[in-house]
Amino acid sequence: MALRETEHLLALESRAVSRIRVREIKAPTLSEMNSLWASLKGGVVSTPFQTPEFLAAFQESRQKTEASGFSVGVFAEPAESEHPLMLLPLVRFQRGPIRVVGMPDFGLADQNAPVIGAGCRLSGDCRAEMIRAFLERIGDADVVDIHKLHDRVHTLENPLSFLPETISQNSSLVLDLHGANATGNWCGKSIYKKTRSKFRRLVSEGVTLVEAVTPEERVGLFRTLAAQRRERFRQLGRIDSLEREDRSAFYLRLAAMEASPTPIKTLALKQGEETVAAMVLMMTGTQATAVLVSIGDQKWHAFSPGMVLFSKAIERAYEAGVRWFSFGTGQQEYKQRFGGEEHPYRRLLMPLSTRGRLFVGARQAHRAAQSVLQIALRRNGMDT
């Protein structure tokens, strides 16, 4: 039977801190995670996807899937036990013959990073060394595989993105709402003027903007969003990922939580009991990410309710003090119209065993062969 908690005392080369104590707590409850997060030195710096509520919903909805073990690494200086410097949520799972350790994601998280104590003054390099030393001690996995590593969490560097085994992966569009380097006068762009006009037309039709605030309201709105999205994907002949039982179970569990505050925010444009459009956001601190959106009956499409709802969600986030509004995965043209800037993100692929090194080597060879093939095709006028 796996131990509930393991502990390591790791030597570091950093001048700032030469040794670090790491406890790994297996399957912590929501209550235990709330206590851990509250104990962080100086407060919490986190994305919405590494909050206790998100992780608890992930753990509960994944019990019967490929995820075999959820844990949290707790990093502290040896003499300090009450106020850790950093937390690292992890999940172990099997990918064919390969044992993988990553972060709780499986397509549900749009950004991955450790949870950092706001009072931790160590550099990103030092925090990266702490994480690397811990990961190298993991003996029940062949490879570390963590996706969507943006370079910052709030104003702090994301230490995972500093590890040398990271590779370029993709990018997302992010709108800076409050910073000194904010993307121009974002609210003065033509798209916002257009959506304000569209919203006035919707209001004249009896449509109002509402936010679901109780668990029952959030669950009801999510079910409506899922039904609208399912019908839209059916019309397009596409597969809707929300039809996966584990994915819908995650959102239902998160929406149903009594926790306050909660990272899930649900907005809708409604005419009486009819939902014109709906959106799910993940929001905490200075970050907000739009993760799901749906549009109702065809009769409303001329009012561009999806664009109106994006505009209203951005305004709500701005009023709440959010600095970065992310449009989630994808580079669709409509997202670019809101003024977002491209933020690259990386993937950590770090072997931990001989089998892991063979896996990473084979993957790199496959990618190199694909690149050579694409170059050859372009040279012959056959670019695909």
Side-chain angles (χ1 to χ4, degrees):
M1 181 176 177
L3 294 176
R4 173 84 167 102
E5 182 176 325
T6 57
E7 182 174 323
H8 301 286
L9 188 61
L10 306 176
L12 305 178
E13 295 181 1
S14 169
R15 294 181 180 179
V17 53
S18 61
R19 304 181 86 188
I20 196 75
R21 174 173 170 258
V22 188
R23 294 181 294 138
E24 187 177 6
I25 302 173
K26 310 290 185 181
T29 65
L30 176 58
S31 176
E32 289 171 330
M33 285 190 285
N34 279 329
S35 296
L36 273 175
W37 267 242
S39 71
L40 275 167
K41 188 171 185 178
V44 178
V45 178
S46 167
T47 87
F49 305 99
Q50 286 83 49
T51 54
E53 297 79 15
F54 183 99
L55 297 170
F58 177 93
Q59 186 176 188
E60 291 176 28
S61 62
R62 292 282 167 171
Q63 287 179 342
K64 297 179 180 179
T65 66
E66 66 267 42
S68 60
F70 169 68
S71 65
V72 175
V74 184
F75 295 75
E77 294 187 66
E80 180 63 80
S81 59
E82 294 183 0
H83 299 290
L85 303 171
M86 184 169 60
L87 307 171
L88 183 64
L90 293 173
V91 65
R92 289 164 170 80
F93 59 97
Q94 198 80 16
R95 185 181 294 159
I98 304 299
R99 300 169 301 168
V100 182
V101 60
M103 292 192 69
D105 185 347
F106 297 131
L108 296 168
D110 281 345
Q111 185 174 352
N112 286 307
V115 182
I116 303 171
C120 176
R121 301 304 177 191
L122 300 176
S123 68
D125 283 331
C126 182
R127 286 193 289 266
E129 186 183 352
M130 290 160 56
I131 291 174
R132 184 184 181 84
F134 169 59
L135 293 177
E136 288 176 340
R137 285 288 189 98
I138 292 177
D140 59 350
D142 299 306
V143 65
V144 179
D145 192 3
I146 305 177
H147 296 251
K148 290 167 283 190
L149 299 173
H150 293 243
D151 61 352
R152 305 192 76 79
V153 186
H154 185 37
T155 59
L156 300 180
E157 296 160 328
N158 180 357
L160 284 167
S161 68
F162 278 68
L163 295 178
E165 291 84 359
T166 60
I167 56 176
S168 178
Q169 185 175 31
N170 210 323
S171 63
S172 59
L173 293 173
V174 179
L175 183 61
D176 188 344
L177 301 178
H178 282 281
N181 297 320
T183 315
N185 182 20
W186 60 269
C187 57
K189 292 184 178 294
S190 61
I191 185 62
Y192 296 97
K193 297 175 183 177
K194 182 177 180 180
T195 53
R196 283 194 289 268
S197 174
K198 295 278 189 179
F199 183 61
R200 286 192 293 268
R201 289 179 57 198
L202 285 165
V203 169
S204 70
E205 297 288 330
V207 174
T208 57
L209 175 68
V210 299
E211 179 177 354
V213 293
T214 68
E216 294 76 17
E217 290 171 344
R218 288 194 297 266
V219 168
L221 188 53
F222 171 75
R223 290 190 187 280
T224 299
L225 180 151
Q228 290 179 344
R229 180 180 155 115
R230 182 165 57 248
E231 176 59 21
R232 178 62 174 164
F233 275 65
R234 186 193 65 78
Q235 292 172 359
L236 295 172
R238 293 168 53 192
I239 296 174
D240 180 10
S241 61
L242 268 187
E243 293 196 62
R244 287 175 46 181
E245 183 180 351
D246 56 349
R247 186 157 297 195
S248 60
F250 165 80
Y251 285 109
L252 285 169
R253 180 67 190 95
L254 186 57
M257 280 187 180
E258 297 283 353
S260 181
T262 176
I264 188 170
K265 309 295 178 186
T266 47
L267 300 176
L269 295 168
K270 301 197 74 167
Q271 186 195 56
E273 294 300 312
E274 181 181 1
T275 300
V276 177
M279 177 179 287
V280 170
L281 300 157
M282 293 294 175
M283 187 165 78
T284 188
T286 60
Q287 294 183 244
T289 301
V291 293
L292 296 169
V293 64
S294 71
I295 302 172
D297 195 274
Q298 181 73 32
K299 68 184 180 185
W300 298 110
H301 289 198
F303 295 88
S304 305
M307 298 294 280
V308 170
L309 200 49
F310 260 106
S311 178
K312 291 299 178 183
I314 292 168
E315 290 175 11
R316 284 285 182 98
Y318 174 79
E319 292 165 1
V322 166
R323 177 170 177 182
W324 289 282
F325 186 97
S326 172
F327 294 88
T329 56
Q331 301 281 342
Q332 294 90 333
E333 185 272 338
Y334 76 87
K335 296 179 181 179
Q336 299 175 23
R337 293 171 64 189
F338 284 101
E341 290 188 336
E342 193 171 355
H343 281 217
Y345 54 84
R346 302 180 69 77
R347 175 185 181 184
L348 174 62
L349 201 58
M350 176 180 170
L352 299 175
S353 69
T354 300
R355 181 179 294 180
R357 285 188 287 274
L358 290 172
F359 170 80
V360 173
R363 182 188 176 279
Q364 290 171 340
H366 178 68
R367 286 173 61 88
Q370 284 185 318
S371 297
V372 170
L373 177 61
Q374 289 299 319
I375 292 171
L377 290 172
R378 283 195 294 271
R379 285 177 176 175
N380 288 278
M382 299 170 62
D383 188 10
T384 58

